[in-house]
Amino acid sequence: MDEGFGATLKDVDGNVFLDFFAGIGVLNVGHSNPYVLEAVHEQTAKLVHSIDFPTEARLDLIKKLDDIAPGDLSGYNRVVFGWPSGSDAIEGFIKLAKYVTGGDGLIAFRGGYHGSTSGAMSLTSKVAFKDDYTPLLADTVHLR
């Protein structure tokens, strides 16, 4: 592939394809979305990376997420971690779930892919992704 716009991709030979993959699900606004590009340009002109240090944009996001949190969760969201990868996020959520519940079992859904770290692979139900790396985390149950 050479470039993309919206829901289309163009290869190096000029062939255009519909992108049903959506960049592994992270491009639900499409390739080269002008609104996203404008926001990225504005932010990167100010600050490119700050790991988990507070920034105005991060604090605004935390507030917006807290405002739409379901049920009794609103009012308890004070920290948002910007994980470097999806696998890291899953690892963090596994630790958070164990800390909050005091339990050691995990529940995941069949058909889901969660990443390539040991904890994330434990939640992935497809054996082909993880068979060579077992044993992984014990007490993981997969639901349909």
Side-chain angles (χ1 to χ4, degrees), residues 30 33 74 79 100 106 117 127 132 138:
N33 181 297
S74 185
V79 178
V100 170
L106 300 168
T117 59
V127 175
D132 293 335

Side-chain angles (χ1 to χ4, degrees), residues 30-81:
H31 297 276
S32 303
N33 181 297
Y35 299 107
V36 173
L37 292 175
E38 180 182 351
V40 167
H41 182 267
E42 287 176 15
Q43 181 59 50
T44 57
K46 291 170 54 177
L47 180 66
V48 175
H49 194 291
S50 67
I51 197 156
D52 287 320
F53 295 116
T55 63
E56 186 176 333
R58 183 182 303 274
L59 295 174
D60 287 346
L61 174 62
I62 292 169
K63 169 95 173 76
K64 287 177 183 177
L65 291 174
D66 189 59
D67 289 344
I68 63 169
D72 295 335
L73 295 177
S74 185
Y76 291 98
N77 304 293
R78 296 293 179 252
V79 178
V80 174
F81 291 103

